[in-house]
Amino acid sequence: MSSTFSPPWTPLERLDSQIKERGFAALQPADVCRWAGTEAAALNALRPDWNGLPPDEYLKDGGNYRRRRHACFVVDGQRIEQTPHRPHWQPVQYNALHGGMQRWFAPMLDRTVADPAWKGLLRALADAATALRGPQPWYIEAHQFRIDTTDGIGRPTPEGAHRDGVDLVAVFLVEREGIKGGETRVFEADGPNGQRFTLAEPWSLLLLDDPRMIHESTPIQPLGGQGGGHRDTLVLTCRAGGFQGDGVV
């Protein structure tokens, strides 16, 4: 029997200082609501959008366990602008498995990105990035993921332990259903310290100072050997100066 470890929750009032001091912070759902200026019911109203995610057609490991949508935004102060749909691109140094290729994922639904709760999440992330790096426009990529156990095992991070090549990463646990595994692991990129824990509550959050921290999530398996389980997450990456892949053709 494997043990699970509770996240080292950060009080909301210490969020910015915790990220600066330790390179990461974890927020409980109630504090995520306060952070984003919204209610739990409003965030939970977004959860059904994960039920219709289309398959990820770019998996190089031959798996069929990942579904996703993608969208990009620029947040400058209170202004939020969604960009025209664009491919997701990462250099090989950050994603050895899928880097160096333009991946055109299905766009996020209009109703999702128009929701006030969604806009609250984007503004909160941009504010956290400003507290870390200073005021400037923030280029945010949003990824809705569902990892399932239809084939017996699902891999939330098939590329392994990694950084994303951005300034700040937010990983929200949206739903866990009928699975075991999916442990979150974070490590200092240039030091010996690391931590492991399991995000289990809907809308619990991990924030990472990406240049300083390496992260991964362990594979998931179905409870009781039965298929049909899944793990839903929302990953937001926040970068200064532009999106990765600008100018790549």
Side-chain angles (χ1 to χ4, degrees), residues 163-178:
R163 292 181 294 139
D164 287 329
V166 298
D167 286 276
L168 192 63
V169 175
V171 181
F172 299 84
L173 189 283
V174 177
E175 184 173 274
R176 284 177 62 100
E177 181 69 33

Side-chain angles (χ1 to χ4, degrees), residues 25-106:
L27 287 184
Q28 298 186 74
D31 283 335
V32 170
C33 291
R34 292 171 55 205
W35 181 67
T38 190
E39 301 291 333
L43 289 177
N44 285 329
L46 298 174
R47 289 169 62 183
D49 290 350
W50 271 255
N51 292 332
L53 299 182
D56 180 342
E57 298 177 347
Y58 292 91
L59 283 172
K60 283 188 172 181
D61 64 0
N64 298 296
Y65 52 81
R66 185 158 75 180
R67 297 174 175 271
R68 68 193 294 179
R69 289 186 184 274
H70 173 241
C72 294
F73 306 85
V74 180
V75 181
D76 190 358
Q78 292 298 300
R79 183 179 64 86
I80 298 174
E81 178 184 355
Q82 184 176 4
T83 70
H85 195 52
R86 55 180 288 129
H88 176 52
W89 186 89
Q90 294 174 289
V92 174
Q93 73 185 93
Y94 291 116
N95 190 327
L97 186 61
H98 298 115
M101 59 190 297
Q102 291 188 327
R103 291 182 283 168
W104 286 92
F105 299 114

Side-chain angles (χ1 to χ4, degrees), residues 70-73 86-89 125 139-143 166 235-239 243-244:
H70 173 241
C72 294
F73 306 85
R86 55 180 288 129
H88 176 52
W89 186 89
L125 180 63
Y139 295 80
I140 296 178
E141 291 197 53
H143 306 265
V166 298
V235 177
L236 303 178
T237 63
C238 193
R239 189 172 188 266
F243 296 107
Q244 288 192 103

Side-chain angles (χ1 to χ4, degrees), residues 41 63 103 114 126 160 178 192 202 206 233 240:
R103 291 182 283 168
L206 170 67
T233 56

